[in-house]
Amino acid sequence: MRESIEVVIIGSGPAGLTLANLLQRAGVGCVVLERQSRTYVEQRQRAGVLEHDGARLFEEWGLGESVLAGTTAGGMLEIRLDGQPRFFDVAALAGGRAGRIVPQQVLVGRLIEAFLAGGGDLRFEAAEVTPHGLDGSAPTVTYRDTAGVVHEIACAYVAGCDGFHGVSRASVPEGALTTYTYEHGYGWLTVLADAPAPYHPLFGIHPAGFAAQFARGPGASRFYLECAPGADVGEWGDERIWEQLRLRLGDAGLPTGPITEKLFVEMRCFVADPMRYGRLFLVGDAAHIITPMGGKGMNLAIADAGVLARGLRAALREGDERPLAAYSETCLKRVWDHQEFSRWMGEMMHEAGNATLAGPFRRQLARARLERLFSSDAAARAFADLMA
Ligand code: RFL
């Protein structure tokens, strides 16, 4: 089957769905091709906080009500150093720029609903999605539907929103992109459990290693535990997990609950430059990945989608190609800024606890850096600004 549309979006994660909704509001025709089923996509639990800028983006495009209704503002965070709590009021220090607590799967579900309610074309279980002719003026995207029918869609632009392992970046010829990778030297085990959420996002710094607990809905928590890089999840039985969380979070009475997911997260960063090849634009995790420290991955994906939507609207509706030409440069500024913040925060949170990581001297430096957040108003405001 042959069809044509202005923009083909590959992938329906936060990047693809944000872009689809913004293009729909701009009156730009688009179709979204997603490899997984709707149920799978709506249940994939990952991030939990939408940055202030992300919330504003949805409001500016008239999606505030459908995406943010009933969500609460984030504000405080707790840093527990050797079991001693210290509170940090991010919203107040960032001049009231609070983020919103929105679990990623809730955001994704709401974006799907909003897009479909507006008559959007979203095709799940699209197999063998393949872009063609990206370096020419008439690209196409082919895929096979669940009935086995092969579709070919002609378009003006392709948005590669298909995550780190997707087909979009893999379609770019070798050598066309410069890629940067960085390994942090430690790993994280992440555990999703039906355990009561903490009152505030909680970061635990302890000689046994870093740990954290974040709300993921009213009765669920996501926990993180520093572990060796490449650690085997099989070595982390439930009892060991709870014992280490109690120790590192300094809470002997930490409420537990059934563990629903246990994953090893590679603490790896990646950036592709430029985030474009011909008529293909790479958006979100397809172009860059970042560690979960600082909660920036989903937010970068949404910010990229905002920049691309404005660029496509200008190119296709106003005949102005300049914002689209500046897409990669505009996005990469934010990407590198957030990469730097995430690494800075990760280094401080890990080295202040576990002296075997970088030695006792750097441990003292990391503690001094942490202390500065509570003793210097300028340092606190800079940190809060980047968090928010
Ligand atoms: P996604 O969410 O990976 O979505 C990509 C979509 O593309 C589909 N796809 C394809 N579709 C068609 N054809 C193909 N060949 C395809 N290949 C893939 C996939 O099925 C999927 O639906 O990328 P996107 O939209 O760029 O969004 C990025 C975010 O999901 C990601 O950055 C965050 O989840 C990262 N992240 C966190 N970000 C935060 O901001 N705060 C956090 O606290 C946070 N915690 C996390 C995280 C990521 C985690 N994992 C598992 C990687 C915690 C974890 C554990």
Side-chain angles (χ1 to χ4, degrees), residues 11 13-15 34-35 44 46-47 104 162 216 224 285 295 297-298:
E34 166 60 48
R35 186 175 54 180
R44 195 168 35 197
R46 288 176 174 180
Q104 183 165 327
D162 48 350
R216 290 294 185 265
Y224 289 107
D285 276 18
M298 180 179 82

Side-chain angles (χ1 to χ4, degrees), residues 10-16 33-36 40-41 44-49 104 126 129 161-167 190 216 222 224 261 263 265 283-286 292 295-299 301:
I10 307 177
S12 72
L33 303 177
E34 166 60 48
R35 186 175 54 180
Q36 304 286 358
Y40 182 92
V41 169
R44 195 168 35 197
Q45 210 298 328
R46 288 176 174 180
V49 178
Q104 183 165 327
V129 174
C161 307
D162 48 350
F164 186 64
H165 300 287
V167 69
T190 179
R216 290 294 185 265
R222 182 174 283 288
Y224 289 107
E261 181 191 277
L263 273 179
V265 183
V283 191
D285 276 18
K296 298 301 183 192
M298 180 179 82
N299 289 294

Side-chain angles (χ1 to χ4, degrees), residues 286-366:
H288 41 73
I289 51 169
I290 189 167
T291 75
M293 182 61 90
K296 298 301 183 192
M298 180 179 82
N299 289 294
L300 282 175
I302 291 167
D304 289 352
V307 175
L308 185 56
R310 284 191 282 267
L312 289 169
R313 179 176 60 185
L316 291 164
R317 290 291 165 274
E318 295 145 28
D320 180 2
E321 297 271 344
R322 285 169 302 177
L324 202 51
Y327 168 74
S328 179
E329 198 188 332
T330 308
C331 292
L332 283 170
K333 270 192 199 136
R334 178 186 287 261
V335 169
W336 282 115
D337 191 39
H338 282 23
Q339 291 281 9
E340 196 285 326
F341 173 62
S342 177
R343 196 202 73 92
W344 176 91
M345 187 176 172
E347 187 182 283
M348 177 179 71
M349 292 280 180
H350 287 80
E351 292 188 5
N354 181 355
T356 57
L357 208 56
F361 184 80
R362 286 185 65 120
R363 182 166 184 255
Q364 294 307 112
L365 295 186

Side-chain angles (χ1 to χ4, degrees), residues 45-50 72-78 100-106 190-203 212-224 249 298:
Q45 210 298 328
R46 288 176 174 180
V49 178
L50 181 65
T72 51
M76 285 281 195
L77 59 84
E78 179 181 347
R100 312 289 310 176
I101 310 285
V102 194
Q104 183 165 327
Q105 76 279 17
V106 171
T190 179
V191 170
L192 200 58
D194 292 331
Y199 205 60
H200 306 299
L202 169 60
F203 298 82
Q213 182 185 9
F214 305 122
R216 290 294 185 265
S221 292
R222 182 174 283 288
F223 295 94
Y224 289 107
L249 295 175
M298 180 179 82

Side-chain angles (χ1 to χ4, degrees), residues 137-210:
S137 58
T140 58
V141 179
T142 53
Y143 76 97
R144 188 184 296 276
D145 70 19
T146 46
V149 177
V150 175
H151 297 244
E152 182 184 45
I153 312 176
C155 57
Y157 297 103
V158 180
C161 307
D162 48 350
F164 186 64
H165 300 287
V167 69
S168 299
R169 201 181 65 256
S171 307
V172 176
E174 210 167 307
L177 306 177
T178 302
T179 58
Y180 301 85
T181 50
Y182 183 76
E183 305 278 347
H184 285 256
Y186 48 80
W188 272 10
L189 179 77
T190 179
V191 170
L192 200 58
D194 292 331
Y199 205 60
H200 306 299
L202 169 60
F203 298 82
I205 296 174
H206 190 273
F210 172 79

